[in-house]
Amino acid sequence: MTWQSDFSIHLVEQGRSPKTIEAYSRMIVQYAQWFKELRGKPFEPSMFVAPDLREYRTVRTQQEKAATWNLRLAALKAFAMFAALKGWVHTDPLLGVLSMQQQVPAPKALNTQEFRELR
């Protein structure tokens, strides 16, 4: 078995939905690919460290909307918990890796009934 399949099994055991498992697994594989391109060597869970994750946030948040980054961060947090349970990491690798503020949508227009109630 690989750490990827072990992570998917862990998510199933956590009661995550199939769509969440697919999304989190895909996002962790994307992180591993980014790591390999950056460092020139395959990613191993013991290499899941804060400086790389902060750099990853900088890169991704320039390319993604807040909601996408925040979902990716949830996947990274789930993986960090998994890696800690396996004994691969011993400190919080997400220290200093922040979520992004989502823009509050503009208020919608009042419908006729709501407008009448203001009078």
Side-chain angles (χ1 to χ4, degrees):
M1 280 219 234
T2 64
W3 60 261
Q4 294 98 327
S5 60
D6 285 348
F7 180 54
S8 293
I9 291 167
H10 169 76
L11 294 173
V12 169
E13 291 170 349
Q14 294 287 307
R16 304 293 181 129
S17 74
K19 286 189 178 194
T20 298
I21 294 167
E22 188 274 324
Y24 282 18
S25 297
R26 182 183 68 248
M27 289 178 170
I28 296 304
V29 167
Q30 289 170 348
Y31 175 79
Q33 290 169 341
W34 172 84
F35 180 92
K36 184 176 182 181
E37 290 171 11
L38 181 72
R39 299 287 177 234
K41 57 185 172 186
F43 172 76
E44 291 296 327
S46 61
M47 300 171 181
F48 201 57
V49 295
D52 289 340
L53 288 160
R54 286 192 298 269
E55 186 173 345
Y56 187 62
R57 180 194 188 276
T58 299
V59 169
R60 296 309 298 206
T61 57
Q62 292 172 354
Q63 304 167 1
E64 298 175 337
K65 293 184 178 186
T68 303
W69 168 252
N70 292 341
L71 175 62
R72 189 175 302 282
L73 182 58
L76 293 168
K77 286 180 180 182
F79 188 78
M81 290 181 67
F82 165 71
L85 285 171
K86 291 288 194 176
W88 294 327
V89 297
H90 303 288
T91 60
D92 182 2
L94 292 162
L95 191 63
V97 180
L98 306 174
S99 62
M100 286 178 62
Q101 279 295 109
Q102 293 185 3
Q103 281 194 295
V104 177
K108 64 178 182 134
L110 299 176
N111 64 32
T112 305
Q113 181 62 34
E114 292 168 330
F115 182 75
R116 286 187 189 136
E117 290 173 5
L118 288 176
R119 290 184 185 178

